[in-house]
Amino acid sequence: MRPNPLLILDADGVFMDEMPYWNTALVTMMHRFGMSCGAPARWESLSSACFVDDCVQGVTKGRGCNSNWDLAAVMIRAVEDDSRRAALLGELNSRRYAGFATRLKRGMEALWREGEVSDPLNRFGIERSGAFFQEVVAEFQLIFEESDEVDWARIGWSFERQVPVLPANDLRALFERLKGAGYTLGVCTSRAESETVEPMSHLGILDCFDRDRIVTNDQAVAAEARLSLSHLAKPHPFPLLCAALGFETAIKACRSGAVDSTAAVRDVVYVGDAPADFEAAQRARALGLAVTYVHIDSGLSPEDVREAIAGSALTGLVAPRLADCEMWLSGCAGCVESRA
């Protein structure tokens, strides 16, 4: 009899709201250049203009950069241009937040270069292992963790850091129903371990998941050290293989270029919301993982990318929210059980 199917979920954009991370990227960039909106209401207006109206985050996420550290780095690199920064300050001081968002987005897009590289961040002219990116990561974390090292009085804005896509009780009930349908639940996210497990515990959903199948950036970093490779975060298949098969088996698959057939004995459904998630599932399937992909369409990917994801044989469903996937997922689990 086949074991229960695995349902592996990305976190941000799937069951956690990604807006706090986008806001952190914005504040990181603004803090780097000494910019501020002043009053919280003005910050809220700027955030809405950037991330709701103009979808600035789509510049990186739609091109395969799955980390919001990447978003912050590309924002900062775009604003390093003196003339663009002066124009942005003019828009900011005049409270023309739509103009600010448009200029920022155009500057970020101007950095992109076509080409074939393993890490899409390189195509924005940023080396992930370089000093600049590491500085941005450190600054981002100080902002996200509300460190005393940050001049919060000058920034003048506070925002929630951990926000679920549904009220916590509703989210737990959804996960309980999916478990009842036959799934074992896991997580595959680019968040740090502390930014994943602690909020899940606080929301009362952690015990819905198989703790050994909660895979974060921490495991990717550990695998990089073990394999002497760089950037094993998504879109690399390692995190998904790790959530599905365990750390050691995923390491072996990366070394050999194939999943051990004795390990790949259970069906996997992976739910993501970005091209990097889809590519990770594609690459895991190519290595032998029996995975079906479900895409939460947040509207950030270019139309041709969305169409390619929707039309792929790998993709079982495209839906606007995780809650809209429940009927399909429950039916899919039932089909697996009937084959067992």
Side-chain angles (χ1 to χ4, degrees), residues 228-305:
S228 299
L229 295 173
S230 62
H231 193 50
L232 294 188
K234 295 178 290 184
H236 197 279
F238 172 79
L240 180 54
L241 293 174
C242 187
L245 306 173
F247 185 85
E248 294 299 335
T249 304
I251 289 285
K252 290 178 183 177
C254 290
R255 281 178 170 153
S256 67
V259 171
D260 185 339
S261 60
T262 61
V265 296
R266 65 197 306 174
D267 294 88
V268 178
V269 177
Y270 177 48
V271 183
D273 73 314
D277 297 313
F278 175 70
E279 184 178 341
Q282 274 188 316
R283 294 168 70 178
R285 169 79 74 87
L287 292 177
L289 187 70
V291 59
T292 298
Y293 181 67
V294 171
H295 189 65
I296 304 300
D297 183 14
S298 55
L300 300 180
S301 301
E303 184 62 31
D304 60 332
V305 174

Side-chain angles (χ1 to χ4, degrees), residues 52 101 104 250 307 315 331:
V52 177
L104 176 60
E307 289 178 357
T315 304

Side-chain angles (χ1 to χ4, degrees), residues 92-231:
L92 190 65
N93 292 336
S94 300
R95 302 183 193 175
R96 293 190 296 263
Y97 301 130
F100 182 101
T102 298
R103 288 180 183 273
L104 176 60
K105 185 175 184 179
R106 287 175 180 169
M108 294 166 65
E109 290 173 332
L111 298 173
W112 179 254
R113 298 290 182 267
E114 295 298 333
E116 293 295 330
V117 294
S118 59
D119 184 353
L121 187 61
N122 289 342
R123 293 165 68 176
F124 285 101
I126 299 170
E127 176 59 50
R128 192 174 299 277
S129 61
F132 167 74
F133 185 74
Q134 299 309 313
E135 290 171 6
V136 172
V137 169
E139 291 172 17
F140 184 105
Q141 290 304 118
L142 289 175
I143 298 291
F144 188 82
E145 295 163 9
E146 300 182 271
S147 169
D148 291 339
E149 295 181 40
V150 178
D151 186 352
W152 292 105
R154 181 163 62 85
I155 291 173
W157 188 36
S158 180
F159 53 91
E160 285 192 76
R161 296 306 198 267
Q162 306 290 358
V163 182
V165 298
L166 292 171
N169 288 341
D170 293 343
L171 192 59
R172 180 181 178 87
L174 172 60
F175 291 151
E176 291 285 8
R177 291 195 298 272
L178 291 170
K179 286 181 63 179
Y183 286 108
T184 297
L185 303 186
V187 172
C188 175
T189 179
S190 296
R191 283 183 177 224
E193 182 89 4
S194 62
E195 294 168 18
T196 304
V197 174
E198 290 176 16
M200 289 174 68
S201 178
H202 177 73
L203 293 169
I205 60 173
L206 182 61
D207 64 332
C208 295
F209 291 79
D210 181 339
R211 185 64 183 82
D212 291 335
R213 298 186 187 279
I214 297 178
V215 173
T216 69
N217 188 61
D218 292 40
Q219 283 89 343
V221 170
E224 289 166 2
R226 176 79 73 85
L227 295 169
S228 299
L229 295 173
S230 62
H231 193 50

Side-chain angles (χ1 to χ4, degrees), residues 23-46:
N23 285 337
T24 301
L26 177 63
V27 174
T28 301
M29 181 274 287
M30 299 274 280
H31 187 261
R32 167 71 74 101
F33 295 107
M35 300 180 185
S36 177
C37 291
R42 295 174 193 167
W43 274 105
E44 295 289 348
S45 295
L46 179 64

